[in-house]
């Protein structure tokens, strides 16, 4: 398992270097995904298969999809299709595909080995992890859930397009009209056009 | 351990060198990931599950940070029409 660890580690470092030196955000994202997959294989060779699965699903799956969506949203325009076509030229995806092929070969080699992994490090399975996670670390789980809730609300609030305030659209419910109506709140909205709720 | 150090250094270099906000956030991801590698390696060295639990927490923090950060970038992009970090250095609202 030593050789697989070093191969995956060098693939991770190589992909990260390529990620930093790219000029285009989408190309950099491709290399970043390859780097995360390589780190997942490093976790597997370190004897943490549960964390390896989480890395692929959450990091390379969910977080990177978020990145891709935002990068695409920031490039909205008439020429979007043309730019997208120019991003995915064959010369660009050969690099990440090559690195990913190395990783797939490694996974196939590890799967072909009969029996459980003979890793050089200790094997800590999902059972031990979850026993500890919901035992002494329960308060941490609760804190993480609160953090994620705050992140959801914050992200929604920040990314929402600015709404026009209703009071500035119809000048009905503002303090000015209330004064003009002599403090009579019933008459304050009398000049509102009919048929509007 | 060496891998974690190298990845962390690469993320730091990326954070310092690039001025595009998307790249800076990606470099932050790499740095968080390197910290996770260090935790998992230490956990497997001492045969304890604590390292993997710390990695799960790092994962949650990274997800929250990315969602809020990307939402902030959307607002910045609407306001300044660029993703240059120096464009937002005035902070006048």
């Amino acid at each position: 398992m030593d050789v697989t660890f070093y191969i995956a580690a060098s693939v991770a470092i190589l992909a990260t270097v390529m990620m930093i030196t790219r000029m285009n955000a989408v190309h950099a994202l491709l290399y970043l995904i390859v780097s995360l997959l390589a780190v997942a294989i490093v976790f597997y060779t370190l004897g943490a298969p549960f964390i390896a699965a989480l890395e692929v699903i959450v990091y390379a799956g969910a977080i990177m999809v978020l990145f891709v969506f935002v990068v695409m949203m920031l490039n909205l325009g008439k020429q979007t299709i043309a730019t997208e076509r120019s991003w995915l030229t064959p010369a660009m995806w050969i690099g990440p595909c090559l690195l990913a092929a190395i990783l797939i070969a490694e996974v196939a080699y590890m799967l072909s080995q009969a029996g459980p992994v003979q890793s050089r490090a200790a094997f800590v399975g999902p059972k031990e992890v979850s026993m500890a996670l919901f035992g002494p670390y329960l308060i941490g789980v609760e804190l993480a859930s609160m953090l994620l809730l705050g992140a959801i609300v914050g992200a929604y609030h920040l990314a929402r397009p600015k709404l026009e305030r209703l009071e500035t659209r119809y000048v009905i419910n503002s303090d000015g009209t209330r004064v003009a109506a002599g403090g009579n709140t019933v008459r304050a909205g009398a000049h509102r056009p009919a048929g509007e709720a | 351990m060496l891998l974690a150090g190298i990845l962390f250094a690469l993320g730091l270099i990326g954070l310092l060198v690039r001025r595009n906000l998307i790249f800076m956030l990606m470099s932050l991801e790499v740095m968080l990931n390197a910290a996770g590698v260090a935790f998992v390696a230490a956990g497997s060295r001492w045969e304890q599950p604590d390292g993997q639990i710390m990695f799960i927490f790092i994962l949650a923090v990274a997800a929250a940070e990315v969602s809020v950060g990307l939402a902030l970038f959307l607002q910045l992009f609407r306001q300044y029409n660029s993703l240059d970090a120096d464009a937002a250095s005035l902070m006048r609202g």
Side-chain angles (χ1 to χ4, degrees):
Chain A
M1 282 299 137
D2 252 4
V3 182
T4 52
F5 172 80
Y6 285 118
I7 292 176
S10 42
V11 167
I13 290 170
L14 196 66
T16 311
V17 170
M18 295 294 278
M19 188 272 279
I20 295 176
T21 53
R22 288 310 92 180
M23 280 296 127
N24 197 316
V26 174
H27 302 162
L29 270 173
L30 281 178
Y31 278 109
L32 184 56
I33 291 172
V34 172
S35 162
L36 292 175
L37 292 179
V39 170
I41 290 190
V42 166
F43 286 155
Y44 188 71
T45 58
L46 280 176
F50 180 55
I51 292 299
L54 268 190
E55 168 102 7
V56 171
I57 294 170
V58 178
Y59 247 119
I63 297 182
M64 288 306 117
V65 164
L66 211 61
F67 264 108
V68 170
F69 266 127
V70 170
V71 170
M72 297 286 176
M73 271 174 82
L74 294 182
N75 283 287
L76 284 184
K78 283 165 196 147
Q79 74 282 23
T80 312
I81 299 173
T83 39
E84 224 168 312
R85 195 167 291 136
S86 69
W87 279 345
L88 292 177
T89 51
M92 257 345 281
W93 44 262
I94 273 180
C97 277
L98 219 60
L99 292 177
I102 295 176
L103 293 179
I104 285 186
E106 251 186 297
V107 169
Y109 167 72
M110 283 194 284
L111 285 180
S112 70
Q113 301 292 97
V117 211
Q118 299 100 17
S119 67
R120 106 198 122 98
F123 179 83
V124 182
K127 192 179 172 192
E128 288 93 340
V129 175
S130 39
M131 289 296 277
L133 186 62
F134 289 102
Y137 285 99
L138 190 59
I139 189 80
V141 176
E142 300 291 340
L143 284 175
S145 72
M146 284 171 67
L147 173 72
L148 286 175
L149 178 66
I152 290 171
V153 176
Y156 171 71
H157 176 73
L158 285 173
R160 189 179 50 171
K162 279 215 175 66
L163 289 178
E164 200 185 355
R165 287 183 66 198
L166 276 180
E167 286 191 9
T168 57
R169 202 158 90 204
Y170 317 112
V171 198
I172 40 174
N173 208 11
S174 60
D175 289 336
T177 49
R178 240 170 262 132
V179 168
N184 190 339
T185 48
V186 175
R187 277 180 46 218
H191 64 286
R192 170 162 44 169
E196 292 214 24
Chain B
M1 283 291 122
L2 186 66
L3 170 71
I6 291 175
L7 277 184
F8 193 86
L10 279 177
L12 193 62
I13 290 170
L15 182 68
L16 293 178
V17 168
R18 304 304 299 264
R19 286 285 93 185
N20 191 324
L21 280 171
I22 293 269
F23 279 90
M24 292 171 77
L25 198 62
M26 283 200 275
S27 305
L28 271 181
E29 287 299 297
V30 170
M31 287 166 72
L32 279 174
N33 209 24
V37 170
F39 268 118
V40 171
S44 79
R45 165 69 180 76
W46 278 283
E47 307 185 18
Q48 296 291 322
D50 303 65
Q52 302 190 23
I53 288 166
M54 282 303 153
F55 183 80
I56 294 176
F57 290 152
I58 287 178
L59 210 63
V61 169
E65 173 238 336
V66 165
S67 58
V68 173
L70 287 176
L72 274 173
F73 294 169
L74 279 182
Q75 285 293 79
L76 268 181
F77 188 73
R78 282 192 200 120
Q79 200 149 12
Y80 297 103
N81 225 5
S82 87
L83 274 179
D84 197 347
D86 298 329
S89 59
L90 286 179
M91 243 188 154
R92 273 187 305 199

